[in-house]
């Protein structure tokens, strides 16, 4: 058996770990300014270059903001900056689409329930506008993926959970991009199908308005099950 040599941490990595621990523990909070490089070097009994390397490493991790002439600050968390590096290229196989649909259902059913709890009058208006947009185009060419995405985004926004909003929007956009790339948008071209999809969205909306958590989740689950059935047919 061959064993790998254990590498000891470099000084700057130990300093970075120590500062990160202060942030995680809440001793350093978003917006707090760190001591100067000179003072940190003195407190940790290390060189200033080690401190600079540690601060650069923490900045690369998104924990610190180094402002020229002002100092180094703990960054405020911004959920909109989170990026989930899932590329459309890896979602071309049928089983990948199935996995994506399953993930979307897990997330969106919960999002609908959360929206029913946290929605505001402004959220209700945004959802209503999305539905109105669907209805206006229903007798023309049918509502497309943009209107569908807008409705689901409005549901996510009504949860008032920034992480959920960011993640769900990325998943939804990836889903739609995958459909576009495979040229399977037939579910938006048949009037009967469009009317069914509209009614499903309407039921989700009504449950959210009534603050019916279970009803909103059930309506979303039924809707996504139907979408999955339609897409699975398209991939046969």
């Amino acid at each position: 058996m061959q064993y790998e040599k254990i590498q000891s941490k470099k000084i700057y990595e130990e300093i970075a770990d120590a500062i990160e621990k202060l942030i995680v523990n809440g001793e350093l909070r978003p917006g707090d300014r760190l001591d100067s490089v000179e003072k940190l070097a003195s407190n940790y009994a290390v060189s200033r270059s080690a401190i600079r390397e540690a601060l650069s490493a923490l900045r690369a991790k998104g924990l610190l903001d180094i402002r020229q002439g002002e100092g180094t600050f703990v960054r405020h968390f911004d959920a909109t900056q989170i990026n989930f590096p899932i590329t459309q290229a890896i979602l071309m196989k049928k089983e990948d689409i199935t996995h994506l649909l399953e993930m979307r259902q897990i997330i969106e059913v919960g999002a609908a329930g959360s929206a029913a709890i946290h929605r505001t009058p402004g959220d209700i208006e945004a959802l209503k506008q999305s539905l109105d947009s669907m209805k206006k185009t229903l007798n023309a060419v049918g509502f497309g993926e943009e209107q569908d995405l807008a409705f689901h985004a409005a549901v996510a926004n009504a949860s008032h959970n920034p992480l959920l909003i960011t993640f769900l929007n990325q998943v939804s956009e990836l889903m739609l991009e995958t459909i576009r790339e495979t040229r399977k948008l037939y579910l938006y071209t048949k009037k009967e199908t469009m009317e069914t999809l509209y009614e499903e969205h309407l039921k989700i909306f009504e449950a959210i308005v009534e603050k019916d958590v279970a009803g909103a989740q059930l309506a979303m689950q039924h809707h996504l099950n139907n979408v999955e059935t339609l897409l699975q047919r398209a991939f046969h």
Side-chain angles (χ1 to χ4, degrees), residues 77-84 162-163 165-167 169-170:
F77 173 69
D78 184 358
T80 63
Q81 298 302 312
I82 294 177
N83 181 46
F84 300 93
L163 273 174
I165 293 167
T166 299
F167 188 43
N169 285 345
Q170 291 190 36

Side-chain angles (χ1 to χ4, degrees), residues 7 11 67 80 89 93 99 102 108 110 123 127 135-136 178 187 209 212 220:
Q7 299 290 333
I11 294 295
R67 305 171 194 168
T80 63
K93 295 186 295 182
H99 294 155
E102 181 182 27
E108 293 210 52
D123 296 321
L127 286 164
K135 197 168 186 177
K136 285 177 182 177
T178 302
L187 70 160
V209 170
D212 180 358
M220 179 65 80

Side-chain angles (χ1 to χ4, degrees), residues 98-192:
T98 300
H99 294 155
L100 181 60
L101 286 165
E102 181 182 27
M103 180 171 69
R104 184 182 175 191
Q105 184 166 126
I106 291 169
I107 298 167
E108 293 210 52
V109 169
S114 181
I117 296 172
H118 300 291
R119 96 290 187 278
T120 66
D123 296 321
I124 292 174
E125 182 59 30
L127 286 164
K128 188 176 183 303
Q129 286 180 5
S130 295
L131 282 173
D132 289 344
S133 178
M134 291 180 190
K135 197 168 186 177
K136 285 177 182 177
T137 57
L138 198 57
N139 295 321
V141 294
F143 70 88
E145 65 271 22
E146 289 82 8
Q147 288 88 347
D148 198 336
L149 178 60
F151 179 85
H152 286 270
V155 172
N157 290 337
S159 74
H160 293 274
N161 181 327
L163 273 174
L164 179 60
I165 293 167
T166 299
F167 188 43
L168 197 150
N169 285 345
Q170 291 190 36
V171 170
S172 296
E173 289 175 10
L174 179 61
M175 182 76 250
L176 292 173
E177 181 61 26
T178 302
I179 296 169
R180 287 193 196 102
E181 289 297 319
T182 52
R183 298 181 180 180
K184 302 297 182 181
L185 279 174
Y186 82 104
L187 70 160
Y188 295 114
T189 63
K190 296 183 178 180
K191 185 175 180 180
E192 182 181 349

Side-chain angles (χ1 to χ4, degrees), residues 216-232:
Q217 291 177 328
L218 188 63
M220 179 65 80
Q221 187 171 45
H222 174 74
H223 166 60
L224 293 176
N225 282 341
N226 185 37
V227 171
E228 182 172 359
T229 298
L230 291 169
L231 288 176
Q232 291 297 353

